[in-house]
Amino acid sequence: MKFVIATHNKGKLVEFQRLLEPMGIEAVTMEISEPEETGTTFRENAYVKAEAACRETGLPAVADDSGLCVDYLDGAPGVYSARFAQPGKRRLTILEKLQGVPVEQRGAHFVSAVCCVFPNGDRVEAEGKCFGSIAFESRGENGFGYDSIFEQEGVTFGELTAEEKDARSHRGHAFAAFEQKLRAYLGQEQGGEPTPCGLDCAQCPGRETCPGCETLGKGCMLAQCAQKSACGQCRPFAGACGLKAQLIQEFNALGVPDMPKVTDLNALLGSYINQEYPLPGGRTVKLWDDSRVYLGNQLEKQGSERCYGLAADENYLMVAEYGENGADPEIVVYKRRRR
Ligand code: IMP
């Protein structure tokens, strides 16, 4: 299967190839004209680029639009990340604008929106984010763009290997979700049934014992089919039966007051847990991807009408609390897992 990658950025092309290859997709570039990025969101711009490339080449085309959003700069440079400041001075400009700004106000996140447009007009889209902060100085020679000034737990993306970056980056998250959706789409093309976990139910090894989507409906919040086939079949938790036990231990070690002991976690669809949480300064944030499967649970907060909501994947772990039907949600703990 040949897909054209709509980018002129060599760093991104290499990442696209590395991420698409396991899906059996040959990612090629071609001389294609660069459309004007007229969108106001990452998602719109990814579509503009992919649609133009598909129209010009007649091949399925994949594009991403990505960028860095800095809290202190009200989300700038955002969709203008590639056009922000003078070429060669972008990182420095951000460091200068944040000179003297304390660490607690240096929050930032990367966003990646991926879009694939097919010659018949169909599209498959996904989005990923990763949260961190702006370092006080540029560090690390790896990666590209703003990598050397974006840090998580004291390490910049410029100091990570490509594999380490994929495991935690916005593009890595977006591609994990994109892979699931693309597999579901291609399964649909072959006459199979798309499922929340991206597996074709007819091929699912858990089919005999799991009622799966047929009974639960495609929007099943517990993603039962993914849970049943999690051993080696379902990408989010591939070979990861150990992940559940490990996460249970990690949740219990947090020592959240009034939280009952965690004894089990379920596979949950992102769309079920993806609440909007308030941040200081009146902003809000969503932390999960609607289409991915996570491990989590809901527990009653002792001595209160509220509940604790637990959610995690290989990289992040969260405890939130909320009232009836998810009212007044609040993040209690959100952290990157140490492995
Ligand atoms: P575009 O997605 O081609 O519009 O470019 C977005 C710009 O955001 C890039 O030129 C980079 O400067 C920046 N950017 C996007 N993703 C990354 C990343 O993974 N690391 C560092 N910088 C990035």
Side-chain angles (χ1 to χ4, degrees), residues 92-329:
L92 194 62
T93 306
I94 292 199
L95 290 177
E96 278 172 5
K97 282 181 187 282
L98 266 68
Q99 207 160 25
V101 174
V103 67
E104 34 330 325
Q105 289 176 43
R106 299 178 78 91
H109 62 275
F110 274 121
V111 182
S112 164
V114 184
C115 181
C116 177
V117 175
F118 291 87
N120 66 1
D122 283 355
R123 66 174 107 160
V124 174
E125 300 171 299
E127 194 173 275
K129 290 182 185 168
C130 63
F131 293 83
S133 59
I134 300 300
F136 285 91
E137 74 289 302
S138 183
R139 292 194 321 271
E141 303 298 320
N142 300 336
F144 67 97
Y146 299 99
D147 278 344
S148 62
I149 60 164
F150 180 83
E151 69 178 9
Q152 288 181 332
E153 298 187 352
V155 179
T156 71
F157 273 13
E159 295 173 311
L160 299 177
T161 62
E163 288 69 28
E164 287 169 336
K165 182 179 167 189
D166 283 352
R168 65 195 71 179
S169 79
H170 49 315
R171 200 164 295 108
H173 295 327
F175 262 84
F178 178 69
E179 178 178 351
Q180 277 194 354
K181 289 185 177 178
L182 190 57
R183 283 191 195 282
Y185 173 83
L186 297 172
Q188 187 180 26
E189 288 295 273
Q190 290 151 13
E193 264 295 292
T195 65
C197 63
L199 288 177
D200 176 352
C201 264
Q203 306 296 324
C204 177
R207 188 170 171 74
E208 296 303 310
T209 48
C210 171
C213 298
E214 269 169 43
T215 325
L216 295 163
K218 283 181 198 152
C220 66
M221 70 183 192
L222 288 178
Q224 234 75 320
C225 48
Q227 193 177 8
K228 287 282 175 184
S229 55
C231 306
Q233 284 297 316
C234 179
R235 170 94 202 275
F237 304 115
C241 281
L243 178 63
K244 184 161 153 177
Q246 179 62 34
L247 284 170
I248 290 175
Q249 264 185 26
E250 289 176 31
F251 276 119
N252 285 323
L254 291 174
V256 176
D258 311 319
M259 188 168 90
K261 188 160 186 253
V262 184
T263 55
D264 196 13
L265 297 171
N266 302 310
L268 302 169
L269 262 196
S271 56
Y272 176 64
I273 57 170
N274 209 359
Q275 301 225 56
E276 220 165 88
Y277 297 99
L279 292 176
R283 277 191 239 124
T284 57
V285 67
K286 278 189 162 195
L287 299 166
W288 307 111
D289 191 302
D290 281 352
S291 61
R292 281 199 65 196
V293 179
Y294 299 92
L295 283 170
N297 211 341
Q298 179 172 290
L299 301 170
E300 279 174 25
K301 181 173 178 178
Q302 287 157 352
S304 155
E305 300 283 288
R306 289 168 70 79
C307 292
Y308 283 118
L310 281 47
D313 65 4
E314 308 89 324
N315 301 312
Y316 291 93
L317 174 153
M318 182 185 78
V319 178
E321 66 158 86
Y322 42 81
E324 204 174 335
N325 294 325
D328 304 320

